[in-house]
Amino acid sequence: MKRAKRAGLISEQSIKEALTEAKGDIFLASTTLDCTARELDGYVRASAELQQFAAAIEKVKIDPAYSRMSVEQFENRLADLSLAYKVVGIEELHDLATMDHGDSAAMAKVKLQAAIALRGGHLQVAGDREIEHALSELNQLYHQNAPRIKEIRQTTIKLEDGREATERVIELRPDQQ
C-alpha cells in the first residue's frame, strides 16, 4: 500500500469511491484499489473520516427506509423501462403492419395480427377462426390457379475425373406458361 500511496493512487477520496462502489465490502474495494484488504483496512483504521464513512455505509445497508427507497427506485426504473419497451414494441408492430407480405398467407396473417394489435384490439377466438378460414380459402384458390409442374427431368453428366454433376429442369404445363 505504501507503494501505491506514494505513487498518489490511493487517497481518502479514492478509498471512499471504492468503498461506495463495493457497497462497503473491503475485499472488493481493495481489488479496485489494487492493494490487499489488510492494507486497505489499515488505512481505514488510521483515518477517523474513513471510519465514519464506512460506518455510514453499513448503517444505510441495514436501514429499512433505505431498503424501501431501493424498492421504490427499482419499481420506478421498471416502470420507465416498460414504457420504453412498449414504444419499441409499437414501432415494431407498425413495421409488421405496413410491410409487404408478398404471396405468403402466413405473413399476411402476421401483418393482420400486427395491425389489430397496433389498433389496440385483440383477436377473438371466433374471429380468429374466421380469419383462418378465409386465409385457407385464399391459399386453396392460389394452389388451384397456380402453374403446375408437368415434368421434372434430371440430367446426369459424368466428368472425366469421376465426379458427377446433376442438372434438374422443371417444365411447366404448356397451357399455363
Side-chain angles (χ1 to χ4, degrees), residues 26 47 79 126 146 153:
I26 200 158
S47 167
R153 290 186 295 138

Side-chain angles (χ1 to χ4, degrees), residues 23-38:
K23 297 178 183 170
D25 187 316
I26 200 158
F27 293 101
L28 291 176
S30 67
T31 59
T32 301
L33 294 169
D34 194 26
C35 65
T36 66
R38 185 175 180 168

Side-chain angles (χ1 to χ4, degrees), residues 14-123:
S14 65
I15 291 174
K16 285 180 180 180
E17 290 170 3
L19 285 171
T20 302
E21 186 178 320
K23 297 178 183 170
D25 187 316
I26 200 158
F27 293 101
L28 291 176
S30 67
T31 59
T32 301
L33 294 169
D34 194 26
C35 65
T36 66
R38 185 175 180 168
E39 289 173 319
L40 181 57
D41 180 60
Y43 197 67
V44 169
R45 288 180 187 276
S47 167
E49 184 179 345
L50 287 176
Q51 287 177 18
Q52 289 175 351
F53 186 80
I57 290 175
E58 288 305 313
K59 183 178 179 183
V60 166
K61 283 172 40 178
I62 60 170
D63 185 4
Y66 175 77
S67 295
R68 235 183 353 269
M69 184 179 69
S70 293
V71 169
E72 287 173 11
Q73 287 174 339
F74 174 77
E75 289 172 355
N76 290 340
R77 178 74 173 138
L78 186 60
D80 290 345
L81 286 175
S82 294
L83 288 174
Y85 292 152
K86 283 180 183 178
V87 169
V88 172
I90 288 172
E91 289 171 352
E92 288 298 318
L93 281 175
H94 177 263
D95 291 346
L96 280 173
T98 58
M99 69 182 243
D100 180 30
H101 62 79
D103 292 332
S104 171
M107 287 307 294
K109 182 178 178 184
V110 167
K111 182 176 177 176
L112 176 65
Q113 288 174 334
I116 290 169
L118 190 58
R119 188 192 76 214
H122 299 286
L123 286 175

